[in-house]
Amino acid sequence: MAGQVKMAAIPPGSPANAGGGAARASAGSDSKAAPMKRDNQTALRWRGARNLIPALLFLSLFFLAPLIGLLLRGVLEPTPGLGNYEQLFANSAYARVLFNTFAVGGLVTLISLLLGFPLAWVITLVPRGWGRWLLSIVLLSMWTSLLARTYSWLVLLQATGVINKTLMALGIIDQPLEMVHNLTGVVIGMSYIMIPFIVLPLQATMAAIDPMVLQAGSICGASPWTNFFRVFLPLCRPGLFSGGLMVFVMSLGYYVTPALLGGAQNMMLPEFIVQQVQSFLNWGLASAAAALLIAITLALFYVYLKLQPESPVASSTAR
């Protein structure tokens, strides 16, 4: 047929046929070499895994074994079953403890974000020397003894404390405000303690943002508010997520500050666990409450990984 290219038969042993055989041989050797290369890469990747054995043994002995024992106690004592978990949610007093724990954790996280965000921004914007001084003050407040900081708030917030006396002297209030031995004192004290844990990841994220990106937004016609909400704030998302998650999870398990600034009527979950163990020797219910805290932490961490797969350190390094 006209227009069709007729392929000439290539005799065996011709140079062209020899070239095709070499190509097939080369393809065969490549197909064998690829799995070997992958095996070598896998072997190299896992060659340093033996260095993890001491750390894994330590974690198995001192973390996993006690954790498994805790989970077993929650379902085995005093009788096998899920009675402890049912009691934890069915009893109104215990449900109140759970509500207090999550309400205080949410409020402390919100207040810490609202106060920590501008502080981290100021540390990033001021000249380097001033920024280092401000960051040092934040770190010193975090390194000061937790007990000393909590007692300081106990002195400041009590009925005869500086805050109440100042408000009464200014004529703002007639009677002292009740700010200790309730959830108000717990939220104030814990917010102060948690702010550094928001500032540090946020400041690292803000410092990694290229100022040229914000300048480009302004050149393209974005107003300062648009530039902030649509350019700057989304770039701060890794720091906001990691700092917020850290503060919320830590707030759920905090014991010292709620025990000193709160009261028996406003108990949180860590106090409840200590009370059940030390006062009532009810290890089953205490283990169930502790297992609930662990499950909530793991669930929040899973949500964090889904929403923010990159850590602030990784994202800043990538930039």
Side-chain angles (χ1 to χ4, degrees):
M1 183 181 292
Q4 285 186 337
V5 178
K6 295 182 179 179
M7 299 297 294
I10 301 175
S14 66
N17 197 13
R24 284 193 295 274
S26 174
S29 62
D30 288 345
S31 62
K32 292 178 181 176
M36 292 179 62
K37 187 177 180 182
R38 283 197 296 270
D39 292 341
N40 291 334
Q41 288 177 347
T42 305
L44 285 174
R45 192 174 300 167
W46 287 99
R47 189 174 57 183
R50 68 186 65 175
N51 299 327
L52 296 174
I53 291 176
L56 292 176
L57 284 175
F58 183 84
L59 286 176
S60 301
L61 287 175
F62 298 103
F63 177 70
L64 288 179
L67 185 61
I68 293 171
L70 177 78
L71 295 176
L72 289 177
R73 276 193 153 183
V75 294
L76 294 179
E77 294 183 8
T79 56
L82 298 177
N84 290 320
Y85 292 94
E86 184 181 353
Q87 189 180 357
L88 202 59
F89 289 102
N91 191 307
S92 60
Y94 300 162
R96 179 74 181 174
V97 171
L98 289 176
F99 174 78
N100 288 341
T101 306
F102 286 100
V104 170
L107 274 175
V108 169
T109 305
L110 181 64
I111 294 172
S112 301
L113 282 172
L114 291 176
L115 297 179
F117 189 92
L119 179 56
W121 201 3
V122 168
I123 293 174
T124 308
L125 290 179
V126 296
R128 191 172 180 179
W130 284 100
R132 290 181 63 182
W133 273 104
L134 289 174
L135 197 58
S136 300
I137 293 172
V138 173
L139 290 174
L140 281 175
S141 70
M142 188 173 67
W143 292 338
T144 307
S145 168
L146 175 63
L147 204 58
R149 283 182 288 167
T150 305
Y151 269 118
S152 302
W153 277 111
L154 188 62
V155 173
L156 289 173
L157 296 175
Q158 62 185 344
T160 57
V162 176
I163 295 177
N164 269 321
K165 282 185 176 179
T166 304
L167 293 176
M168 292 178 70
L170 293 174
I172 298 175
I173 57 174
D174 297 327
Q175 298 291 331
L177 298 175
E178 295 183 1
M179 293 187 287
V180 288
H181 305 307
N182 52 32
L183 290 183
T184 304
V186 174
V187 171
I188 292 173
M190 286 183 63
S191 299
Y192 163 74
I193 291 168
M194 294 296 176
I195 283 176
F197 296 98
I198 291 281
V199 170
L200 294 179
L202 262 179
Q203 196 273 333
T205 306
M206 290 176 179
I209 296 174
D210 191 350
M212 296 299 291
V213 176
L214 302 177
Q215 190 175 355
S218 300
I219 292 172
C220 291
S223 64
W225 284 108
T226 305
N227 220 1
F228 175 79
F229 283 108
R230 303 192 65 176
V231 179
F232 184 69
L233 203 55
L235 290 175
C236 295
R237 193 177 61 178
L240 288 171
F241 268 99
S242 58
L245 177 69
M246 191 190 314
V247 168
F248 186 71
V249 171
M250 289 176 66
S251 301
L252 294 182
Y254 235 64
Y255 172 70
V256 175
T257 306
L260 292 177
L261 296 179
Q265 302 298 323
N266 303 294
M267 193 179 291
M268 291 176 64
L269 205 52
E271 296 176 79
F272 173 77
I273 294 172
V274 172
Q275 185 194 59
Q276 292 298 317
V277 172
Q278 293 184 347
S279 303
F280 304 116
L281 298 178
N282 192 352
W283 284 88
L285 191 59
S287 300
L292 184 64
L293 271 181
I294 295 171
I296 292 168
T297 303
L298 292 177
L300 289 173
F301 188 64
Y302 177 77
V303 172
Y304 168 75
L305 290 180
K306 286 294 180 185
L307 294 177
Q308 186 61 45
E310 290 184 357
S311 70
V313 177
S315 59
S316 63
T317 306
R319 290 188 197 100

